[in-house]
Amino acid sequence: MNQMNQTHEALQDGQTLDWLEGAWQQTAAKVTRTSKRIGSGFPHASVNGVYALEAPEWWTAGFWPGLLWLLHAEEGDASFRELAQRCEEALDPVLAEYYRLDHDMGFMWTLTSIAQYKLLGTEESKRRALIAANMLAGRFNLKGRYIRAWNPWSEEHDNSGIAIIDCAMNMPLLFWASNMTGDPRYRHVAEAHLDTVLEHFIRPDGSVYHIVRFDSVTGECVQHIGGQGYAPESAWSRGTAWALYGLTLAYHHTGKTAYLDAAKRVAHFFLAHLPADSVPHWDFRLPAGVERFRDTSAGACAASGLLLLADKVADKDAPYRPAAIRILESLYRNYGAWENENEEGLILSGTSHYPEGKNVNVPLIYGDYFFAEGLARLKGAAATFWE
């Protein structure tokens, strides 16, 4: 188990980590309580204080077991391990059926199978993750150099040309597969997709498009779509966080400075647009009259990515680590539901999909996961499951 050795470390701007151990213990205690009901289910968003459980094929299926693995790695609690293992086994029918798989295989099997393989060396988990990696690589469009997002929503619907920024966070599955097999093809696919992210998703100012449509036959870029952001030219904050973290991970796995430079540009845009409490609104470019709900999940994801970015840059006076600490401390102090026994979520005020009015201003399981991952990084975790 990791031992926190930085709790009272003096940091920039008078920061300390004297809150960190309490935050971790409250996280572990609350998950211990909620796990008795959630069990090996797949929570997504909190509804009236109770996490609604989704089908195993839903894109968020990896975050609850990922949270359990984070806690098991630190606490050694067998109950966390057992529940996470049962979640992974429950994903087997999805993997075998094939039809419901999409670009989010990275989210699902990185935080289940790769997590178990890294922690316990379980061979069956390695096999599952390699199958998922092959399925993910099979979604690569050679002409457009992108991994296709989603599947048709109806028989007459063609979304074969759609790629989304979220998928940058799925690429570690492919890098891992190359490392495990010695086969560079997975890496080639991941880098080609990430190069397309640099070319078509990241704007010069560091803001990010959510959805890009390509002609799936010619590969030509034909349209930018707002998606979960307010508009095509707005700046969805969680998409910005996906890009920040995904590009930092891309640099970690490849050493390509183009990925690092883009990650830094996105990070500076993200940090420059934070409100006073360091927790982002759901979109950074909202016109007057649109409700400015927070998205704590975007803040939590960005914070973990910023901590990794801080480890990758030569300039130790860069703002990334202090900013990550401010975000995580604000999430803990201002948005934590620690004493609320009528709320299963750890972190309040997540916004899943404002344009569709879905899961607005509620806890989200991926916000909880990335918050705990950020704490684990601060506590000195050698690496997370993405690396």
Side-chain angles (χ1 to χ4, degrees), residues 138-194:
R139 299 182 68 85
F140 182 66
N141 182 300
L142 180 62
K143 289 288 188 179
R145 294 170 60 81
Y146 64 88
I147 287 179
R148 173 191 176 173
W150 301 310
N151 298 313
W153 293 295
S154 61
E155 286 188 13
E156 67 276 6
H157 193 92
D158 177 15
N159 59 7
S160 61
I162 293 290
I164 62 176
I165 192 59
D166 318 41
C167 202
M169 285 296 297
N170 288 310
M171 295 304 95
L173 174 62
L174 298 181
F175 290 122
W176 173 87
S178 272
N179 291 337
M180 286 296 101
T181 63
D183 189 333
R185 292 177 300 163
Y186 305 100
R187 177 182 298 272
H188 293 162
V189 168
E191 290 188 28
H193 177 84
L194 289 160

Side-chain angles (χ1 to χ4, degrees), residues 175-249:
F175 290 122
W176 173 87
S178 272
N179 291 337
M180 286 296 101
T181 63
D183 189 333
R185 292 177 300 163
Y186 305 100
R187 177 182 298 272
H188 293 162
V189 168
E191 290 188 28
H193 177 84
L194 289 160
D195 289 346
T196 298
V197 168
L198 296 185
E199 182 176 0
H200 293 292
F201 283 83
I202 311 301
R203 302 184 185 107
D205 67 353
S207 61
V208 180
Y209 290 109
H210 180 199
I211 302 176
V212 178
R213 183 188 296 277
F214 298 87
D215 184 312
S216 59
V217 175
T218 68
E220 178 187 5
C221 177
V222 296
Q223 185 184 16
H224 294 91
I225 302 171
Q228 287 169 255
Y230 177 76
E233 296 299 326
S234 70
W236 179 45
S237 62
R238 192 163 66 253
T240 314
W242 294 142
L244 188 166
Y245 200 170
L247 289 168
T248 304
L249 286 164

Side-chain angles (χ1 to χ4, degrees), residues 63-313:
F63 290 105
W64 171 247
L67 176 58
L68 296 170
W69 280 123
L70 284 174
L71 291 166
H72 172 72
E74 181 67 26
E75 301 295 320
D77 191 321
S79 67
F80 294 147
R81 182 195 72 239
E82 291 163 3
L83 288 178
Q85 289 171 324
R86 284 163 50 192
C87 287
E88 182 182 345
E89 291 166 1
L91 291 176
D92 282 350
V94 182
L95 197 60
E97 187 199 37
Y98 171 75
Y99 293 110
R100 290 177 289 178
L101 298 174
D102 64 18
H103 64 281
D104 281 321
M105 286 176 271
F107 280 130
M108 297 167 73
W109 278 276
T110 298
L111 299 181
T112 55
S113 295
I114 291 180
Q116 178 163 193
Y117 181 70
K118 286 189 171 186
L119 293 173
L120 303 180
T122 306
E123 192 65 24
E124 181 65 11
S125 295
K126 177 183 176 181
R127 185 189 68 85
R128 289 176 175 127
L130 287 173
I131 291 173
N134 276 276
M135 299 292 194
L136 183 58
R139 299 182 68 85
F140 182 66
N141 182 300
L142 180 62
K143 289 288 188 179
R145 294 170 60 81
Y146 64 88
I147 287 179
R148 173 191 176 173
W150 301 310
N151 298 313
W153 293 295
S154 61
E155 286 188 13
E156 67 276 6
H157 193 92
D158 177 15
N159 59 7
S160 61
I162 293 290
I164 62 176
I165 192 59
D166 318 41
C167 202
M169 285 296 297
N170 288 310
M171 295 304 95
L173 174 62
L174 298 181
F175 290 122
W176 173 87
S178 272
N179 291 337
M180 286 296 101
T181 63
D183 189 333
R185 292 177 300 163
Y186 305 100
R187 177 182 298 272
H188 293 162
V189 168
E191 290 188 28
H193 177 84
L194 289 160
D195 289 346
T196 298
V197 168
L198 296 185
E199 182 176 0
H200 293 292
F201 283 83
I202 311 301
R203 302 184 185 107
D205 67 353
S207 61
V208 180
Y209 290 109
H210 180 199
I211 302 176
V212 178
R213 183 188 296 277
F214 298 87
D215 184 312
S216 59
V217 175
T218 68
E220 178 187 5
C221 177
V222 296
Q223 185 184 16
H224 294 91
I225 302 171
Q228 287 169 255
Y230 177 76
E233 296 299 326
S234 70
W236 179 45
S237 62
R238 192 163 66 253
T240 314
W242 294 142
L244 188 166
Y245 200 170
L247 289 168
T248 304
L249 286 164
Y251 174 72
H252 167 80
H253 285 288
T254 67
K256 283 190 173 182
T257 56
Y259 299 147
L260 179 63
D261 291 343
K264 290 162 65 177
R265 190 161 78 249
V266 173
H268 284 276
F269 176 87
F270 190 98
L271 296 178
H273 290 80
L274 289 177
D277 70 354
S278 294
V279 175
H281 298 105
W282 68 274
D283 195 302
F284 290 124
R285 289 180 177 144
L286 291 173
V290 178
E291 292 180 285
R292 283 166 160 72
F293 289 111
R294 293 296 203 273
D295 183 9
T296 51
S297 74
C301 176
S304 196
L306 286 165
L307 290 171
L308 180 62
L309 183 57
D311 289 340
K312 299 299 177 183
V313 298

